Amino acid sequence: MKDRVTIFDTTLRDGEQSPGASLQKNEKLEIAHQLARLGVDIIEAGFPIASPDDLEAVKQIAKKVKGPTICGLARSLKKDIDAAYEAVRFAKRSRIHVFLATSKIHMKYKLKKAEEEILRQAVKSVKYAKRFVDDVEFSPEDASRTEEKFLYRVVEAVISAGAKTVNIPDTVGYAIPDEFGRLIYNIINKVPNINKATISIHCHNDLGLAVSNSLAAVNNGARQVECTINGIGERAGNASLEEIVMAINTRRDFFNLKTSIDTKLLYETSRMVSRLTGINVQPNKAIVGMNAFSHEAGIHQDGILKKAITYEIMSPSDVGFGETKLVLGKHSGRHALSRRFEKLGYKLSKAQLDKAFKRFKILADKKKNIFDEDLKAIVEDELIIFAERYKLADLYIKGGTKETPYAKVMLKVAKKTKEAEAIGDGPVDACYKAVDKITKESGRLIDYSIRSITSGKDALGEVSVKVRIRNQVLTGRGTSTDIIEASVKAYLNVMNKIAYRHEPKLWQWT
Ligand code: KIV
Ligand code: ZN
């Protein structure tokens, strides 16, 4: 038995049947080119009889996409097969995929036909498709709910009629892995001419078992898997291509099989399909979800930093994901924190790390995720004394209930004194505008708070501000017995941070 599993991608046909996922012709073409780069063996590009647009899209793909076999779907009807051929005939390698339901439920209620009639129609349609292309695939729709003996007869008959691939669909996602694996095993052992065709499987995900059923089938001898990017498809979707491929790759010791997929392109292909279909990928989706390579638990982060294999069975780069993400939150430990500080360019001593870790834990209790900006703020607020480029030299304010607030601010800037005047909505606003004129910055105050840090009439007031500046949000603090002066100092603290943020050699550590 061959050791290679053929990947038959049906993102553009079954995947496009996902509720709300209609794609334009040019979008289909873009995805088809990407699937070719990814290395899929066969692209099922559409169902040409379904609409003139679908026929045209399949035709364009057949003409322009090089590499994979291009396949068109058809019911077991002459007009469908004619349309499928009309669409795929321009490809270097083309396939027609005909299907007909074989389960009692479908034959009785949908087709209203008896077994013998179905058998005749299946054979006739395969023979008709063979007039156009050598590569014909047949699917007995709802195979997993088809009476087994009848299924063997259908499979044998279509192979005799010339089908090169027989696909066994679990159309309604009803199968259970052991049972589906056994069905494939039985077909291989009970259909006399089975060695003349490749057995394929096509599993739907109604019970969340599409990938498991596909892998059970592969383990029992199926050598073509029909699947879609991100597992999109009719209802709960199809088996996900990326999960099948990475299971086969990662557990080569178990399957002893390979595929032709360039796994490094899996992530970008997933993003493209998600963007063009408008179907989001759930964050915890295996292989391509946003969280697939994120670790939050402290024990896991520590293990990952010591040796990735402790908690990672594949490397994010294997699927083109970038790098492992250690999400800093309340479960994170000192090891992950110090590594992140290093990445941000801060080399902390043990004592500084202890101090930063304490602040980090307090913050993490209040905030689910800690971002790089939060860490920079911890360092800047707790651990660095900024050399002050701007120092308040003097301040004069004027105003009243009937007068527009006015401020004149004098700053020491590298041994020189510079001054500016401004009016504003209040005395603090007027001062900040004057400071902006001197520093040539443009800060926007987004939060302001004041508290007294000593008692009595001459209590020291501490002003804290949050300022948006150069697309960043920085915090500043200033103290004085005069609240306007404390406010200006807090604002200048922000100005000093922005001035020195990119000049670490000027920092003084505590
Ligand atoms: O789910 C199904 O049975 C199908 C067939 C057309 C293969 O999509
Ligand atoms: Zn399907």
Side-chain angles (χ1 to χ4, degrees), residues 76-329:
S76 291
L77 297 174
K78 186 174 173 301
K79 63 175 180 179
D80 282 36
I81 296 168
D82 289 340
Y85 179 61
E86 170 59 19
V88 298
R89 72 195 167 100
F90 299 98
K92 185 154 184 227
R93 279 191 297 277
S94 37
R95 174 181 292 192
I96 296 177
H97 176 191
V98 275
F99 72 100
L100 184 61
T102 51
S103 67
K104 278 211 160 73
I105 302 169
H106 279 233
M107 290 190 297
K108 181 170 173 195
Y109 297 108
K110 187 178 89 177
L111 302 172
K112 303 189 190 336
K113 285 184 177 162
E115 283 186 352
E116 296 312 311
E117 211 179 333
I118 292 290
L119 201 58
R120 273 198 303 277
Q121 191 177 339
V123 167
K124 199 170 155 195
S125 63
V126 169
K127 285 188 172 159
Y128 186 63
K130 282 292 269 193
R131 288 200 205 167
F132 303 113
V133 293
D134 186 43
D135 189 354
V136 173
E137 170 172 334
F138 180 82
S139 288
E141 192 191 7
D142 205 16
S144 56
R145 293 195 300 170
T146 295
E147 201 263 315
E148 266 197 45
K149 289 214 172 85
F150 181 54
L151 184 62
Y152 304 152
R153 283 182 66 205
V154 174
V155 171
E156 183 181 354
V158 294
I159 294 175
S160 294
K164 289 264 170 75
T165 302
V166 180
N167 180 43
I168 307 299
D170 180 25
T171 302
V172 288
Y174 180 74
I176 300 294
D178 271 359
E179 174 194 54
F180 197 61
R182 205 171 332 116
L183 176 64
I184 300 302
Y185 178 87
N186 287 344
I187 290 172
I188 289 177
N189 286 286
K190 295 195 171 155
V191 174
N193 56 358
I194 198 71
N195 57 353
K196 296 209 171 84
T198 298
I199 301 205
S200 166
I201 35 94
H202 174 114
C203 297
H204 278 271
N205 206 28
D206 299 67
L207 293 174
L209 294 171
V211 170
S212 306
N213 283 331
S214 304
L215 292 173
V218 164
N219 202 31
N220 280 280
R223 286 295 176 266
Q224 175 178 289
V225 177
E226 300 199 356
C227 44
T228 60
I229 300 295
N230 298 337
I232 62 171
E234 189 77 37
R235 305 181 309 281
N238 290 65
S240 123
L241 181 149
E242 55 278 4
E243 291 177 28
I244 303 270
V245 167
M246 288 315 287
I248 290 174
N249 267 23
T250 309
R251 296 304 311 273
R252 193 156 287 154
D253 61 320
F254 179 83
F255 290 106
N256 210 5
L257 291 168
K258 55 185 184 223
T259 71
S260 56
I261 298 299
D262 178 355
T263 63
K264 290 198 171 358
L265 298 181
L266 284 172
Y267 187 66
E268 69 174 58
T269 311
S270 158
R271 292 286 112 191
M272 176 192 283
V273 169
S274 170
R275 176 171 54 83
L276 294 176
T277 57
I279 300 175
N280 290 335
V281 175
Q282 76 198 57
N284 59 326
K285 162 91 172 62
I287 318 296
V288 291
M290 273 314 285
N291 293 347
F293 297 97
S294 298
H295 303 265
E296 174 148 348
I299 297 171
H300 291 207
Q301 294 185 340
D302 183 52
I304 285 280
L305 290 168
K306 286 177 176 148
K307 193 84 183 158
I309 199 176
T310 51
Y311 287 100
E312 258 175 16
I313 57 166
M314 26 183 181
S315 156
S317 62
D318 292 346
V319 302
F321 194 88
E323 53 177 33
T324 303
K325 217 164 94 196
L326 301 186
V327 179
L328 292 180

Side-chain angles (χ1 to χ4, degrees), residues 246-455:
M246 288 315 287
I248 290 174
N249 267 23
T250 309
R251 296 304 311 273
R252 193 156 287 154
D253 61 320
F254 179 83
F255 290 106
N256 210 5
L257 291 168
K258 55 185 184 223
T259 71
S260 56
I261 298 299
D262 178 355
T263 63
K264 290 198 171 358
L265 298 181
L266 284 172
Y267 187 66
E268 69 174 58
T269 311
S270 158
R271 292 286 112 191
M272 176 192 283
V273 169
S274 170
R275 176 171 54 83
L276 294 176
T277 57
I279 300 175
N280 290 335
V281 175
Q282 76 198 57
N284 59 326
K285 162 91 172 62
I287 318 296
V288 291
M290 273 314 285
N291 293 347
F293 297 97
S294 298
H295 303 265
E296 174 148 348
I299 297 171
H300 291 207
Q301 294 185 340
D302 183 52
I304 285 280
L305 290 168
K306 286 177 176 148
K307 193 84 183 158
I309 199 176
T310 51
Y311 287 100
E312 258 175 16
I313 57 166
M314 26 183 181
S315 156
S317 62
D318 292 346
V319 302
F321 194 88
E323 53 177 33
T324 303
K325 217 164 94 196
L326 301 186
V327 179
L328 292 180
K330 68 174 174 189
H331 305 294
S332 305
R334 203 178 288 265
H335 193 171
L337 184 66
S338 89
R339 189 61 72 88
R340 182 67 66 86
F341 275 131
E342 267 171 42
K343 278 207 159 158
L344 291 173
Y346 304 116
K347 278 210 162 39
L348 304 195
S349 68
K350 189 176 168 316
Q352 285 165 340
L353 183 63
D354 286 348
K355 204 167 168 188
F357 189 62
K358 262 192 211 140
R359 262 293 297 272
F360 165 76
K361 282 285 175 185
I362 295 169
L363 191 62
D365 265 341
K366 297 189 198 134
K367 210 164 170 270
K368 169 116 185 69
N369 288 327
I370 306 292
F371 300 107
D372 290 351
E373 282 307 311
D374 298 310
L375 297 182
K376 284 182 194 166
I378 289 177
V379 170
E380 289 171 353
D381 290 351
E382 298 283 318
L383 302 173
I384 294 175
I385 306 163
F386 286 94
E388 290 186 304
R389 173 172 289 176
Y390 307 110
K391 256 195 190 140
L392 182 62
D394 207 354
L395 180 66
Y396 170 75
I397 48 175
K398 202 162 59 121
T401 44
K402 294 203 175 78
E403 231 182 306
T404 309
Y406 159 92
K408 182 162 151 190
V409 175
M410 272 147 283
L411 299 184
K412 272 232 145 56
V413 188
K415 292 189 186 150
K416 285 194 187 136
T417 304
K418 295 192 176 177
E419 64 173 56
E421 307 170 291
I423 51 169
D425 291 336
V428 173
D429 185 47
C431 289
Y432 287 5
K433 284 189 171 128
V435 170
D436 281 353
K437 282 187 187 169
I438 300 172
T439 57
K440 299 192 171 49
E441 295 285 355
S442 170
R444 194 165 63 79
L445 189 65
I446 52 178
D447 200 15
Y448 175 96
S449 64
I450 182 162
R451 68 181 183 114
S452 62
I453 48 178
T454 53
S455 56

